[in-house]
Amino acid sequence: MYCGNNKTALASQRQIAEALLKLLDEQPYSDISVSAICRQADVSRQTFYSLFQSKENVITFALQNDCCYSAMTGEEPCRYSFRQICGGFSRYIIGHAGILEVLSRHDLMPLLRRVLREDFSLCLTAEGQCCQALQPYLIDYLAAGITSIAETYIRSGETASPEALEGIIYMLLRGEFYQDGPF
């Protein structure tokens, strides 16, 4: 994926991402061709392949640049307390329900998990907040947990307030639903 700062290339990347998201509203992901994306975005296949390797790469770009938690806050999530991170994710899920619904409908939520895993990996490695042996487990736990909570929220048609969703995220990720004894 192109990661430079050429304004024309960056504009083309956004056009391509918007085109793919629009097409996802109309047809299944598997039926969308690169040619269709190029027609919708009004770019050549050469432009597409100079900026992206695949359709999946386009979704990842959209998540990283417009819909990812760290992109939304402008800061890395590790700068906050765990409670604040839960609040940020509740607002993120509610604020990005549209794209999350599209991802869920097309079984593309693993792409969100991958992007979140990369965010957490950068954050936890940079801050050294976790012993190295546990880092991969913590990173995957958080990314999988947030992705699963987001998908369940979207699929259930939930309309909880940000505060209520924050409480759910906080309780689940801290394991507070467990009690001594059977469920």
Side-chain angles (χ1 to χ4, degrees), residues 80-136:
Y80 301 101
S81 71
F82 184 68
R83 187 67 187 216
Q84 289 171 316
I85 290 170
C86 293
F89 275 114
S90 71
R91 291 184 300 280
Y92 165 79
I93 291 167
I94 292 169
H96 291 85
I99 187 148
L100 294 175
E101 190 278 325
V102 168
L103 293 177
S104 179
R105 187 168 14 108
H106 293 279
D107 296 320
L108 297 171
M109 289 300 270
L111 296 176
L112 174 63
R113 181 177 176 179
R114 184 186 315 156
V115 170
L116 290 175
R117 191 182 304 130
E118 289 171 10
D119 271 3
F120 290 133
S121 180
L122 291 171
C123 175
L124 292 173
T125 303
E127 292 296 313
Q129 291 191 9
C130 176
C131 74
Q132 282 199 300
L134 291 178
Q135 273 185 358

Side-chain angles (χ1 to χ4, degrees), residues 4-101:
N5 58 7
N6 178 292
K7 290 180 182 184
T8 303
L10 294 172
S12 293
Q13 277 184 306
R14 290 204 177 278
Q15 281 175 245
I16 291 167
E18 289 170 10
L20 178 54
L21 293 174
K22 185 173 190 289
L23 290 170
L24 284 170
D25 280 337
E26 302 166 359
Q27 56 190 298
Y29 178 75
S30 60
D31 292 349
I32 299 171
S33 67
V34 170
S35 295
I37 297 168
C38 292
R39 275 192 303 277
Q40 183 72 36
D42 197 26
V43 299
S44 69
R45 285 178 64 86
Q46 181 179 355
T47 299
F48 180 94
Y49 283 112
S50 70
L51 301 172
F52 298 106
Q53 290 80 35
S54 65
K55 296 186 300 184
E56 184 177 290
N57 212 222
V58 177
I59 299 290
T60 300
F61 168 82
L63 288 170
Q64 288 173 331
N65 289 279
D66 295 323
C67 304
C68 186
Y69 181 73
S70 64
M72 179 184 78
T73 63
E75 294 186 38
E76 295 178 17
C78 56
R79 302 275 184 231
Y80 301 101
S81 71
F82 184 68
R83 187 67 187 216
Q84 289 171 316
I85 290 170
C86 293
F89 275 114
S90 71
R91 291 184 300 280
Y92 165 79
I93 291 167
I94 292 169
H96 291 85
I99 187 148
L100 294 175
E101 190 278 325

Side-chain angles (χ1 to χ4, degrees), residues 93-94 97 148-161 165:
I93 291 167
I94 292 169
S148 295
I149 290 167
E151 186 162 27
T152 300
Y153 178 85
I154 296 302
R155 286 192 174 177
S156 70
E158 184 80 38
T159 57
S161 69
L165 185 56

